[in-house]
Amino acid sequence: MGQISIILPTYNVEKYIARALESCINQTFKDIEIIVVDDLGNDKSIDTAKEYASKDDRIKIIHNEENLGTFASRNIGVLNAKSDFIMFLDPDDYLELNACELGLEKIKNVDMVVFDAYVHRVKFKKFYRFKQDEYFNKDDFLNFLLNQKHFCWSVWAKVYRKKLILKSFEHVDFKERLCYGEDVLFNYINFILSESFLVSQECIYRYEFNENGRYENKNKEILWQNYEHKKQSLKCIKKLANIFSHKHFNEKILEVLEKEILGLEGRVWKK
């Protein structure tokens, strides 16, 4: 069954997926489940995944019936996971080899663990720059988030409890078609539903900037999709903010997201 499931939403990443899978297979903690969700790209990503799966029965491949986007693909991975704990890995990134070992060790007494990560542009640098391991209740954690430069919105470098992710599906359509801004929607709900957190200074994740990825891509069509998906994510969060009573947090987050959408709008219309 595996004590922790690593979920890889997979779409046109044939240049990178072998490295990502190797980082999973070679974890120091071996009792894991590796779930590749095939979102029907047009390259050889899934052929590579099948080769690895033929040699390692911890790898499971789930095939979407149609292209659904990153948000839905991750969630379908959760629905197919057998473990109580979940980690996400984008296949153009990779994990430190002790990621699962550290994740299981640190989530014992909390609902979520937020790790630091290395981000690679010119060279690897710590992303969040957490100074120490620190425990938080929900209110203190939400206040902590508001003081962070990056808000810790990424789904990577975190360990979640599956039961809470499943609970989040009561509040949002798990098949919402989002490929950009999806991390914010996913984490907004899971931050609110979790009661206890550990923020760890340990780096367990290696984030690679991919010029063809959504974040870096300058293609006008992709930029427009990003803009539309970000607006859709904000629309969902606004609805949720009327349900969850964390007024100060909600106001600040909505303010930040509105500014980000204006920034995307500027990129879309830039000549």
Side-chain angles (χ1 to χ4, degrees), residues 151-197:
F151 270 155
C152 312
W153 282 129
S154 58
V155 300
W156 40 259
K158 291 179 178 63
V159 184
Y160 302 87
R161 288 185 180 269
K162 183 177 72 174
K163 65 180 181 182
L164 291 173
I165 299 178
L166 295 178
K167 188 176 179 182
S168 77
F169 297 164
E170 298 171 14
H171 300 281
V172 68
D173 180 2
F174 75 89
K175 281 192 174 181
E176 190 78 48
R177 198 188 188 311
L178 292 170
C179 296
Y180 193 83
E182 78 285 352
D183 288 32
V184 180
L185 175 59
F186 184 91
N187 273 326
Y188 174 82
I189 307 173
N190 280 281
F191 288 159
I192 296 292
L193 293 179
S194 299
E195 296 294 338
S196 55
F197 302 81

Side-chain angles (χ1 to χ4, degrees), residues 124-140:
F124 278 108
K125 292 184 177 179
K126 288 188 73 172
F127 189 59
Y128 296 124
R129 297 183 177 89
F130 299 140
K131 294 181 174 61
Q132 61 189 19
D133 283 13
E134 195 168 356
Y135 289 92
F136 294 92
N137 62 30
K138 176 157 51 189
D139 288 340
D140 289 343

Side-chain angles (χ1 to χ4, degrees), residues 2 17 35-36 39 43 65 85 157 164 184 204 207 209 238 247 256:
I17 192 169
I35 300 177
V36 176
D39 201 26
D43 69 358
E65 293 182 1
F85 303 106
L164 291 173
V184 180
I204 67 161
Y207 178 93
F209 279 94
K238 280 183 173 177
K247 188 171 183 291
V256 169

